Amino acid sequence: MSNYLDELNDIQRQAVTTLEGPVMVIAGPGSGKTRVLSYRIAHLIQSGVAPWQILTLTFTNKAAREMKERISTLIGSHAMRVWAGTFHSIFARILRSEADKIGYPNDFSIYDSTDSKNLIKQIVKDLNLDKNNYNPNAVLSRISQSKSNLVTPKVYAQTEAYTDYDKMSKRPMLHVIYQRYVNRCQKAGAMDFDDLLMLMYRLLAENKDGVRAKYQQAFRYLLVDEFQDTNFLQYEILKLLVNYEDSANNFCIVGDDAQSIYSFRGATIKNILQFQKDYPTVQVFKLEQNYRSTHHIVEAANEVITKNKRQIPKKIWTESGDGERIRIIRALNDTEEARRVADSIVEMKNRSHFANIDIAILYRTNAQSRIFEEFLRRYNLPYRVFGGLSFYQRKEVKDVLAYLRLTVNPNDDEALKRVINYPKRGIGATTISKIVALANDNDVSIWDAIPYFKATKRTQSLLDNFVEKIKQFTIKSKKDTPYRTAEYIVKQSGVLSDLRKDNTIEGLSRIENIESLLSGVQLFEENDELMAGEEIVEKNLAGYLQNIALITDQDEDKEEKDYVSLMSVHAAKGLEYKSIFVVGMEENLFPSYMSVSDPDQLEEERRLFYVAITRAEQILTLTYATSRYQYGQMRFNDPSRFLEEIGVQHFDKPMEIRSKGISSFSEPKVLGKLGTLKPKKEYIALVDPASFKPSAPHLIKQGMYILHKKFGKGHVESIEGSDHNKVATIHFAQIDNPSRKIMLKFAKLQILDDE
DNA sequence: GGGGGCTATGGGGGG
DNA sequence: CATAGCCCCC
């Protein structure tokens, strides 16, 4: 354990051992950034810092999870107790207990962007504005930008730069919409994604009851990964956490300006430059040795990125040998592109003995995934699609979630509007818009306005029935488990019987989705295993809703681990594969047609391409089609300009790969999309549920033999943590990965006395 | 007020 | 191509 520092190169070691004061690590792709971050945290803990005094903000929950696992391997499971997660999930967790200090309920709802857009549409309608000028996407992005720059509606209305711009864009009333939007969200007890940051800022800035000092003292060491993708507001929050009297400024940022790919949501590499000004004593470490890819790939990446004007000088290099040249596939159309990629995968598996899991297909837009799925399915190659329309965005799932949200927070206007007449109960558009108007006029939520609404006797009783139903749900949720509440709601709301009317395949799959959702609730409720990177929240409906609202990735599928990965280039950030296909290398696709006319956006597309090719360890294949179906039409695009930016010496000769055809007629092995919760798993019961009697958690002691409902017989190897947060490491001999960490607070373990 | 069918419109990346 | 919104009829 003491020699873990020997596993680092000189610069990495310095970055890991410089614990005090501001530190900046500029890390090229594949330069061991995750290793540095996790070793640094391990080193902090070894030097006597308590795990919970360390706050690590990562870009995805997956990154947090992997990091914690790595630290655990280095120094033991107490590492699991560092605070690590995304900005949004960590702040939501804090706001869950502090929101009342800034005028929001602690049980606040989280509006996703669809909710936000629906609210904007509503406001535009209320104000009798032209919906063509007031496009919800445009309005939302303006509001989002304002929040991300800490511009309140009031300041917005008074700042000519903003209002003039809006007049020019034919949206002079934008400041009014912004104000109303904020009011409606607050009345609904709801926060949108930007609010999670903005209100966290306000919480710290307003400092009610000294709350700021509480978190400043709690987080003695601050680490931020992917700092190039933070926005102004995120940096401002971090500064509030770290800047105070006698602060040691233990603030470590890790990033790479060349991999900044989120400026569309306000990220700015200015933060990296500003950091050096704000913390003049900063110690900078530049990691340039690439341990991931072979020479041709590394050099191609360097050549591409030098076409960008603005960047911190840096050149990645490798000692891992020349490796293979970059392959290129030119296809006549999108179908042929997909077929040849699938052919190539089969070939690669035979010749290089790659497993499916070593291979990823990266595309610019999620819409491109479908055709690749088709061919992978035909070729019997298991695959998994990451991102895209996730499980939680499907209509039937959102409907049930809306009922759950309403149960927790009846003021949630967007949830209410979604289900007040679904399933159909005779409360039509006219009635709803009258109630909405009443709510607006009196500045209350729709829920609060309903009792004051005067309607015909018939409508009145329909409304009463609806209100009564929701109240019942809330009562149920207070005295029963989340799973049983959700099950009750699915049945009593009428959603299930409505779906049962539809006997088509789609209809049946919708019911399956609802069942999956329910087993997801059950899983949440029963899960007593401490998973790295997972938020520990209360095991109630509100906790469940928070968990899924901010989901970025899904648990590993434990049944089938060998699959080809399909994802957008954005989603691939931070990942690596032996073999990478970057597909759709065409003008107007990659780079996107939205970006080709703006030099800054074009540079971002180039960084995106840089990220894409540096994911590859051994084999990089770039593909393009001369024609493809886009938006229902056949389009002809030129090959991407980015292809010409790589020197010819790095390319293989274009090679023809013969089609292998369909390899078998057996049922294709297809894994669910990421985001698809598996239907209820019928795992082999290791324990007879009838005779299972869990013991009181405080009786569990080290050395005992116990029974776990899901994992079977186990031996308690150690118990760590303070009174209320004890975590036991238990060895379960009957399962794969036998060593599990169980949170005793939630555990259902039966003590065995016969051993 | 509900529901079916048609037309018009937009179409990126993600927490 | 997918979906939202509209019109028309019940």
Side-chain angles (χ1 to χ4, degrees):
Chain A
M1 191 199 288
S2 57
N3 60 356
Y4 61 93
L5 291 176
D6 298 342
E7 297 164 23
L8 302 167
N9 70 29
D10 282 350
I11 305 173
Q12 287 175 335
R13 193 177 315 111
Q14 289 170 44
V16 163
T17 52
T18 308
L19 297 181
E20 302 295 316
V23 167
M24 176 161 106
V25 182
I26 300 291
S31 62
K33 185 190 64 165
T34 313
R35 168 173 288 225
V36 165
L37 259 175
S38 37
Y39 279 51
R40 185 180 167 87
I41 295 169
H43 200 59
L44 276 169
I45 297 172
Q46 291 298 86
S47 316
V49 179
W52 54 88
Q53 290 179 318
I54 302 170
L55 173 61
T56 310
L57 296 163
T58 55
F59 209 70
T60 62
N61 292 316
K62 191 178 177 196
R65 187 162 57 235
E66 284 173 357
M67 210 167 57
K68 281 197 191 175
E69 268 157 19
R70 235 164 143 162
I71 309 167
S72 285
T73 340
L74 286 174
I75 57 158
S77 68
H78 57 300
M80 292 296 184
R81 303 197 54 211
V82 303
W83 286 70
T86 63
F87 279 86
H88 290 86
S89 68
I90 296 281
F91 294 167
R93 181 169 156 192
I94 293 173
L95 287 167
R96 214 34 94 186
S97 53
E98 312 284 0
D100 54 322
K101 296 191 178 63
I102 47 167
Y104 281 78
N106 286 352
D107 273 345
F108 61 88
S109 297
I110 296 174
Y111 276 1
D112 67 15
S113 40
T114 318
D115 293 320
S116 298
K117 278 180 229 168
N118 285 339
L119 177 53
I120 288 166
K121 281 183 205 162
Q122 176 76 57
I123 295 169
V124 168
K125 211 170 169 185
D126 292 345
L127 293 169
N128 285 318
L129 298 169
D130 180 359
K131 62 177 167 33
N132 294 318
N133 288 339
Y134 292 90
N135 171 302
N137 280 316
V139 175
L140 181 60
S141 116
R142 202 88 181 119
I143 292 177
S144 166
Q145 276 176 37
S146 307
K147 285 183 181 171
S148 305
N149 286 294
L150 293 170
V151 176
T152 61
K154 208 172 161 190
V155 171
Y156 190 100
Q158 291 164 351
T159 308
E160 279 181 13
Y162 301 131
T163 51
D164 284 352
Y165 176 89
D166 289 336
K167 279 176 202 154
M168 252 171 43
S169 339
K170 296 186 184 161
R171 290 191 276 265
M173 295 290 278
L174 212 139
H175 65 281
V176 181
I177 301 176
Y178 182 19
Q179 180 69 64
R180 282 207 182 198
Y181 176 84
V182 169
N183 288 349
R184 294 312 305 170
C185 285
Q186 188 168 9
K187 292 295 170 221
M191 301 186 191
D192 68 14
F193 288 133
D194 299 305
D195 287 332
L196 292 175
L197 307 180
M198 200 266 287
L199 294 171
M200 180 69 199
Y201 177 86
R202 253 183 56 194
L203 177 75
L204 296 174
E206 289 176 6
N207 195 23
K208 195 175 176 198
D209 305 334
V211 67
R212 185 165 67 218
K214 177 173 161 188
Y215 289 98
Q216 286 172 338
Q217 283 157 20
F219 304 132
R220 297 263 320 284
Y221 290 83
L222 204 55
L223 292 90
V224 184
D225 193 11
E226 310 281 9
F227 192 74
Q228 78 281 356
D229 285 324
T230 55
N231 64 24
F232 168 80
L233 174 54
Q234 287 168 324
Y235 186 30
E236 289 304 305
I237 298 169
L238 297 172
K239 282 194 279 191
L240 280 183
L241 281 173
V242 85
N243 283 345
Y244 50 92
E245 212 177 338
D246 298 326
S247 166
N249 287 328
N250 295 324
F251 191 177
C252 170
I253 64 162
V254 181
D256 177 8
D257 58 304
Q259 293 183 68
S260 156
I261 55 175
Y262 281 95
S263 73
F264 70 89
R265 63 182 214 214
T268 167
I269 49 175
K270 277 187 202 150
N271 281 349
I272 294 193
L273 308 172
Q274 191 58 39
F275 188 85
Q276 291 170 285
K277 287 181 194 155
D278 291 338
Y279 301 93
T281 60
V282 63
Q283 302 188 63
V284 182
F285 304 98
K286 242 190 233 184
L287 309 178
E288 292 174 301
Q289 179 171 5
N290 178 299
Y291 294 95
R292 179 183 297 154
S293 319
T294 44
H295 181 75
H296 283 298
I297 296 168
V298 165
E299 276 311 306
N302 278 327
E303 285 173 15
V304 166
I305 203 64
T306 49
K307 301 289 186 299
N308 273 3
K309 294 210 174 65
R310 296 187 320 168
Q311 54 180 322
I312 298 174
K314 155 175 28 70
K315 194 167 170 17
I316 55 172
W317 55 278
T318 179
E319 287 177 344
S320 16
D322 279 352
E324 293 209 25
R325 288 174 206 272
I326 299 169
R327 302 177 185 183
I328 199 150
I329 293 178
R330 171 180 181 273
L332 287 174
N333 54 47
D334 45 354
T335 314
E336 201 208 335
E337 181 188 38
R339 200 200 66 209
R340 293 189 51 191
V341 167
D343 281 337
S344 189
I345 290 175
V346 171
E347 162 111 17
M348 217 170 261
K349 287 180 64 178
N350 290 336
R351 193 175 283 185
S352 315
H353 300 290
F354 282 0
N356 297 313
I357 197 70
D358 298 326
I359 302 166
I361 302 174
L362 309 185
Y363 33 75
R364 177 66 180 84
T365 69
N366 284 312
Q368 286 164 258
S369 75
R370 218 182 67 189
I371 195 148
F372 291 98
E373 291 183 61
E374 265 173 43
F375 276 93
L376 292 171
R377 208 174 294 153
R378 275 204 225 173
Y379 282 39
N380 245 355
L381 294 162
Y383 67 90
R384 209 161 148 186
V385 182
F386 293 76
L389 187 66
S390 83
F391 178 78
Y392 296 104
Q393 283 161 8
R394 291 183 196 162
K395 185 194 173 296
E396 65 278 11
V397 174
K398 287 197 79 169
D399 289 334
V400 173
L401 288 178
Y403 272 108
L404 301 185
R405 278 163 56 179
L406 206 53
T407 301
V408 171
N409 170 20
N411 292 321
D412 187 329
D413 284 355
E414 293 309 308
L416 185 139
K417 280 194 283 184
R418 192 171 179 104
V419 298
I420 188 168
N421 200 33
Y422 177 78
K424 299 265 184 290
R425 49 172 72 86
I427 305 173
T430 323
T431 307
I432 296 169
S433 64
K434 281 182 194 159
I435 304 175
V436 169
L438 183 70
N440 281 336
D441 293 347
N442 292 283
D443 222 13
V444 294
S445 68
I446 299 177
W447 175 262
D448 286 340
I450 292 177
Y452 298 95
F453 180 68
K454 297 275 177 294
T456 60
K457 219 171 186 180
R458 191 188 117 85
T459 310
Q460 196 72 60
S461 82
L462 294 170
L463 281 171
D464 287 347
N465 287 342
F466 174 70
V467 168
E468 204 40 52
K469 205 159 244 183
I470 301 300
K471 283 185 177 161
Q472 268 178 35
F473 294 168
T474 307
I475 293 169
K476 177 85 175 166
S477 75
K478 293 210 165 120
K479 58 180 191 200
D480 216 331
T481 64
Y483 173 71
R484 285 217 286 271
T485 308
E487 196 185 29
Y488 179 80
I489 290 172
V490 166
K491 285 181 185 150
Q492 297 301 315
S493 63
V495 171
L496 191 60
S497 30
D498 185 68
L499 290 175
R500 285 211 173 117
K501 286 180 203 153
D502 181 1
N503 280 321
T504 62
I505 299 173
E506 292 84 26
L508 293 173
S509 94
R510 277 192 276 274
I511 294 176
E512 275 174 24
N513 285 337
I514 300 299
E515 283 164 359
S516 300
L517 180 71
L518 286 178
S519 38
V521 178
Q522 193 170 26
L523 213 62
F524 164 81
E525 177 183 313
E526 290 183 350
N527 180 31
D528 49 13
E529 188 183 4
L530 180 66
M531 305 281 276
E534 205 169 77
E535 300 301 327
I536 301 166
V537 292
E538 286 306 307
K539 299 270 171 190
N540 55 26
L541 262 192
Y544 168 75
L545 289 172
Q546 175 184 331
N547 247 19
I548 58 153
L550 301 168
I551 227 154
T552 53
D553 40 47
Q554 210 73 36
D555 288 355
E556 289 298 313
D557 192 316
K558 287 185 176 131
E559 305 279 300
E560 177 60 84
K561 284 181 179 163
D562 188 33
Y563 48 81
V564 176
S565 300
L566 279 73
M567 68 186 83
S568 69
V569 182
H570 280 94
K573 191 169 77 159
L575 305 179
E576 58 188 13
Y577 294 87
K578 283 187 184 145
S579 172
I580 287 280
F581 291 84
V582 186
V583 300
M585 290 303 306
E586 294 143 42
E587 286 293 299
N588 298 314
L589 187 60
F590 199 178
S592 156
Y593 72 103
M594 315 271 285
S595 305
V596 284
S597 53
D598 177 337
D600 285 346
Q601 287 192 50
L602 199 58
E603 294 214 341
E604 174 141 324
E605 296 280 327
R606 190 174 282 112
R607 291 192 294 269
L608 197 53
F609 183 53
Y610 179 79
V611 168
I613 58 185
T614 53
R615 300 309 96 199
E617 294 170 1
Q618 297 174 21
I619 301 184
L620 173 62
T621 312
L622 307 175
T623 76
Y624 66 95
T626 44
S627 70
R628 73 170 59 236
Y629 272 103
Q630 260 176 309
Y631 316 131
Q633 272 178 32
M634 180 73 93
R635 310 240 170 171
F636 299 85
N637 295 320
D638 290 331
S640 171
R641 69 189 74 190
F642 297 149
L643 295 175
E644 293 164 23
E645 296 176 358
I646 299 174
V648 285
Q649 70 274 23
H650 301 305
F651 281 116
D652 198 345
K653 286 197 195 90
M655 71 159 141
E656 207 59 46
I657 301 156
R658 261 188 312 118
S659 169
K660 293 274 183 301
I662 300 165
S663 50
S664 115
F665 289 99
S666 63
E667 270 302 292
K669 201 160 73 174
V670 179
L671 298 169
K673 290 195 170 197
L674 183 98
T676 310
L677 287 167
K678 288 220 125 189
K680 254 181 209 169
K681 246 177 239 172
E682 296 296 327
Y683 50 83
I684 306 142
L686 292 167
V687 175
D688 175 14
S691 65
F692 183 74
K693 285 195 190 61
S695 317
H698 68 271
L699 297 175
I700 310 290
K701 296 279 179 309
Q702 185 179 347
M704 279 178 170
Y705 284 89
I706 52 83
L707 212 51
H708 185 284
K709 211 173 166 184
K710 202 159 73 181
F711 301 144
K713 206 182 334 174
H715 178 237
V716 183
E717 294 185 325
S718 63
I719 296 182
E720 291 172 319
S722 60
D723 283 358
H724 296 291
N725 264 323
K726 281 190 179 149
V727 175
T729 305
I730 304 181
H731 187 89
F732 296 99
Q734 286 158 280
I735 58 170
D736 295 340
N737 307 323
S739 184
R740 303 287 179 131
K741 306 209 183 318
I742 304 294
M743 292 182 278
L744 290 182
K745 188 158 73 165
F746 305 124
K748 295 193 181 62
L749 302 171
Q750 181 181 342
I751 297 171
L752 295 176
D753 35 27
D754 54 8
E755 304 259 350

